[in-house]
Amino acid sequence: MRPGGFLPSVSVCIPVYNGETYLAETIRSVLEQTWWDFELVILENNSSDASAEIAASFRDPRIRLERNRATLSQGDNWNRAVQLCRAPLVKLVCADDLLHPRCLELQVPPMRDDPSLALVASRRHMIDEQSRVLVPRRGLGGGLVGLHSGSEVARRVIRNGANPIGEPGNVLFRQEQFVTAGGWRPDRRFIMDLDLWMRLLQYGDFLGLPETLAAFRIGRGSVSAEFEQQISDEQQLLLDELGGSGAFDVRPLDVRIGRVALPLGRARRKALFKVSRLAARKDDRLKAEQDEAAPAQ
């Protein structure tokens, strides 16, 4: 709790495990927010690298560094990170992703002022290992910009065949509804974000902002790139659940279109991973050439 007994309006949490490469850049992107009233919770998951030391090197009163005594699974670690947050509004940022300086400024007021909203999301850049933009302004396609009901979003998600809402960094949600919905589901490892978004949208509406307010990093060692079949399988399972749960007004036509769109979504992801790998290999070649050209010491 802040001095004087006041809670921050929003909590940003960063769960990190062996994330020393990008963690400092991620933390700085949060601290540079134009919205001042936030806390930053960094949950260090018993890393074997310098993640804890990097997090502890920042001397900002808004930061609270927490540590796990034993390494938790990703799902359990993400759940604990949100549980440690004290504000009514929460944003989880992966330890290699980035926020635009105005992210909280543009996302917090709509959620604060309209209790009927369950999620506020924005577009995001897809970036490479050097933080260069691979694909700009990605997400919220298919008419997801603006105010929509949960059923409208469910139909668009199904028809998209992927995750048009985006990853945690570009989404803001409510702590209370997160608890009620059951939090992140570890058994949905590869679509934990989209799975949660759809459960949260049973409690309120969705607001899609047209601005690009976050960046999602695609590296050569991306988990998503290594487990493409599992991602597709879990998305198929989610599609079937949304189509048959009764929680949303989903039509049979939406489900049929979604089944056709699934392989297209998989192809888009594979193309993005390929672009990232090519960029990384080019960087490796340039570095090797520079090292060869450097004068001997």
Side-chain angles (χ1 to χ4, degrees), residues 50-119:
S51 294
E53 290 76 10
I54 291 170
S57 70
F58 286 83
R59 297 288 186 263
D60 191 297
R62 295 170 294 183
I63 295 178
R64 179 156 48 94
L65 176 59
E66 303 280 354
R67 302 182 183 183
N68 293 329
R69 294 185 178 181
T71 304
L72 302 180
S73 69
Q74 183 186 53
D76 290 337
N77 195 44
W78 282 24
N79 277 319
R80 183 162 190 259
V82 176
Q83 291 164 3
L84 290 168
C85 294
R86 297 176 291 190
L89 304 179
V90 177
K91 177 183 292 292
L92 186 145
V93 180
C94 295
D96 55 355
D97 295 342
L98 303 174
L99 297 186
H100 185 280
R102 298 188 67 198
C103 184
L104 296 182
E105 175 192 343
L106 295 178
Q107 289 190 341
V108 171
M111 286 282 279
R112 178 197 59 194
D113 299 338
D114 186 353
S116 70
L117 288 178
L119 291 180

Side-chain angles (χ1 to χ4, degrees), residues 92-212:
L92 186 145
V93 180
C94 295
D96 55 355
D97 295 342
L98 303 174
L99 297 186
H100 185 280
R102 298 188 67 198
C103 184
L104 296 182
E105 175 192 343
L106 295 178
Q107 289 190 341
V108 171
M111 286 282 279
R112 178 197 59 194
D113 299 338
D114 186 353
S116 70
L117 288 178
L119 291 180
V120 172
S122 67
R123 293 191 168 108
R124 77 280 194 207
H125 292 315
M126 314 304 280
I127 59 175
D128 67 7
E129 295 175 353
Q130 305 301 321
S131 300
R132 295 170 303 205
V133 176
L134 293 172
V135 182
R137 300 178 296 278
R138 187 177 176 90
L140 303 188
L144 282 177
V145 172
L147 182 65
H148 302 279
S149 69
S151 289
E152 290 174 318
V153 176
R155 289 195 292 268
R156 286 169 170 80
V157 166
I158 289 173
R159 286 169 173 252
N160 181 268
N163 180 1
I165 297 176
E167 299 76 29
N170 61 284
V171 178
L172 186 69
F173 57 90
R174 300 185 189 278
Q175 168 83 275
E176 182 180 6
Q177 292 174 348
F178 174 88
V179 174
T180 303
W184 312 102
R185 293 206 291 189
D187 62 322
R188 298 291 171 88
R189 176 185 176 190
F190 301 105
I191 59 164
M192 281 201 307
D193 43 15
L194 184 59
D195 173 76
L196 176 63
W197 307 153
M198 300 318 301
R199 283 183 285 120
L200 289 176
L201 284 172
Q202 297 179 43
Y203 302 99
D205 294 331
F206 175 89
L207 177 63
L209 301 178
E211 294 84 2
T212 302

